[in-house]
């Protein structure tokens, strides 16, 4: 049963920087590493931190209106999703 849980995508929130400071992108992915790899390749220095859904929603910075794509998260289930 534990294996099934491991293969369910999680939500991650990424903080943006520079003129976008205070805004976040939502990703659905199997791991933070997949999100990080995607960010490093395609977002360069436009991002700052990655938060799990629990971390983000329990932080003092959480406000749903600051998430640019809350209803349409970027789906990264494997590397082929962005190649």
């Amino acid at each position: 049963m534990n294996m099934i849980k491991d293969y369910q995508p999680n939500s991650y929130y990424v903080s943006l920087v520079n003129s976008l400071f205070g805004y976040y992108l939502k990703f659905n992915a199997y791991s933070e590493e997949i999100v990080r790899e995607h960010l490093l390749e395609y977002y360069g220095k436009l991002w700052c931190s990655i938060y799990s859904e629990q971390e983000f929603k329990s932080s003092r910075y959480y406000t749903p209106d600051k998430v640019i794509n809350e209803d349409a998260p970027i789906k990264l289930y494997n590397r082929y999703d962005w190649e």
Side-chain angles (χ1 to χ4, degrees):
M1 281 297 191
N2 212 11
M3 287 180 60
I4 294 172
K5 182 182 178 205
D6 292 342
Y7 285 97
Q8 293 178 351
N10 297 305
S11 293
Y12 296 96
Y13 292 83
V14 175
S15 60
L16 301 175
V17 296
N18 295 335
S19 62
L20 298 173
F21 181 74
Y23 288 93
Y24 301 85
L25 288 175
K26 182 178 181 179
F27 289 84
N28 283 345
Y30 289 121
S31 70
E32 181 179 323
E33 291 78 24
I34 291 172
V35 176
R36 185 174 304 280
E37 188 176 336
H38 177 77
L39 292 168
L40 289 170
E41 190 166 335
Y42 291 98
Y43 285 78
K45 296 182 180 182
L46 289 176
W47 67 281
C48 183
S49 299
I50 301 172
Y51 303 94
S52 69
E53 184 171 28
Q54 182 179 0
E55 289 172 326
F56 182 64
K57 290 188 174 180
S58 65
S59 79
R60 63 186 175 133
Y61 303 112
Y62 174 68
T63 54
D65 59 329
K66 294 290 186 173
V67 180
I68 295 171
N69 62 333
E70 182 67 51
D71 295 330
I74 298 167
K75 296 175 182 172
L76 299 174
Y77 300 133
N78 59 54
R79 192 169 195 347
Y80 302 108
D81 288 337
W82 71 82
E83 286 185 332

